[in-house]
Structures are given as C-alpha cells and as structure tokens.
C-alpha cells in the first residue's frame, strides 16, 4: 500500500464559552471524524485547532490530548482570523494523517451550526 499524508477538516460550534460546552463539542467532533474515517490516532501526523475570538475557556488541544491514544499526537491551538459577520463560537480542526485512502474518500465533519460552512462536504458523503 502506498501511504500519503492527507487532511481531514472539521468544525463545530458551541452555545456558550464554557469548558463543559467546548469539551462536549470537541469530543463529539473528533469522535465523528474518527468513526467516519476509521482513523487510528497512531496514523495522525498532527492536528491544528482554531477557535473564534469569543472562545477562550479551554484549549481544544487540551481536550484532544485526553482522548485515548492522542497523548503523543502533536497538537496546536490558534485563534481563527476574525471576519465581520462570520460564524460565532466556532471550533475548527485540520488533522494531517497517513493513509492509503484517496482524498475523495476522506469524510470531513461539519457539525451543529458549522454544517453551513461547507455544505458540499457535509452532505457529499452521508449516503
């Protein structure tokens, strides 16, 4: 098998800037990504999380690090560039991982209000 580094995108939103809300949303997002892509954390090269400027209660990477087998994954948190009128209380992730799957077989998870960000990716592979 010929493995390549591929990217998985995902995003979700929270209703409040609390540790509990952010933890629930990040875990829900990563669970969806892992299940839909049959992702083994051992294959992850790195993951970068961004949050909008209205979220600062906890680092998403700190939540990811607590997941089984994520403790050695290189993780990074950044603040998403602010654009007036953009989606509020949004958490995004970009995961680079090693796989033999072609990019077209990668499922990108957009949950909650973030499903409007990339409707082409959200609905494309649900069937």
């Amino acid at each position: 098998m010929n493995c390549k580094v591929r990217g998985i995108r995902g995003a979700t939103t929270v209703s409040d800037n609390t540790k509990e809300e952010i933890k629930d949303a990040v875990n829900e997002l990563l669970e969806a990504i892992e299940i839909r892509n049959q992702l083994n954390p051992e294959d992850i090269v790195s993951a970068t999380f961004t949050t909008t400027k209205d979220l600062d209660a906890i680092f998403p990477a700190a939540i990811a690090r607590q997941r089984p087998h994520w403790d050695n994954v290189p993780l990074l948190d950044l603040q998403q560039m602010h654009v007036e009128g953009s989606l509020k209380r949004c958490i995004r992730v970009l995961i680079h991982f090693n796989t033999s799957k072609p990019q077209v077989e990668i499922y990108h998870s957009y949950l909650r209000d973030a499903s409007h960000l990339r409707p082409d990716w959200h609905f494309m592979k649900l069937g």
Side-chain angles (χ1 to χ4, degrees):
M1 279 201 250
N2 187 14
C3 281
K4 292 185 177 185
V5 175
R6 301 283 187 202
I8 302 173
R9 285 294 319 271
T12 190
T13 56
V14 295
S15 54
D16 293 304
N17 180 29
T18 66
K19 289 180 182 179
E20 296 77 23
E21 285 270 336
I22 295 170
K23 183 177 180 179
D24 288 347
V26 168
N27 279 321
E28 178 186 37
L29 178 61
L30 294 178
E31 186 79 14
I33 288 171
E34 284 184 41
I35 290 171
R36 292 301 299 258
N37 291 289
Q38 300 174 350
L39 179 63
N40 179 347
E42 293 290 319
D43 295 328
I44 299 173
V45 174
S46 65
T48 303
F49 294 89
T50 67
T51 61
T52 48
K53 68 179 186 173
D54 48 11
L55 296 179
D56 61 5
I58 190 170
F59 293 109
I63 298 162
R65 197 168 287 113
Q66 295 174 9
R67 295 181 60 78
H69 310 290
W70 279 71
D71 52 334
N72 289 318
V73 174
L75 304 170
L76 180 65
D77 288 299
L78 300 167
Q79 187 175 75
Q80 180 74 26
M81 185 179 94
H82 177 71
V83 174
E84 195 61 41
S86 63
L87 187 60
K88 296 186 183 324
R89 296 180 302 281
C90 186
I91 302 161
R92 292 173 172 89
V93 66
L94 172 59
I95 300 172
H96 291 103
F97 70 113
N98 293 305
T99 185
S100 58
K101 293 180 183 179
Q103 189 70 45
V104 71
E105 291 181 18
I106 306 304
Y107 180 79
H108 306 277
S109 296
Y110 286 78
L111 308 178
R112 303 180 184 190
D113 289 341
S115 64
H116 304 293
L117 292 174
R118 287 297 305 259
D120 53 329
W121 281 358
H122 178 70
F123 297 112
M124 181 170 59
K125 298 175 185 152
L126 289 178

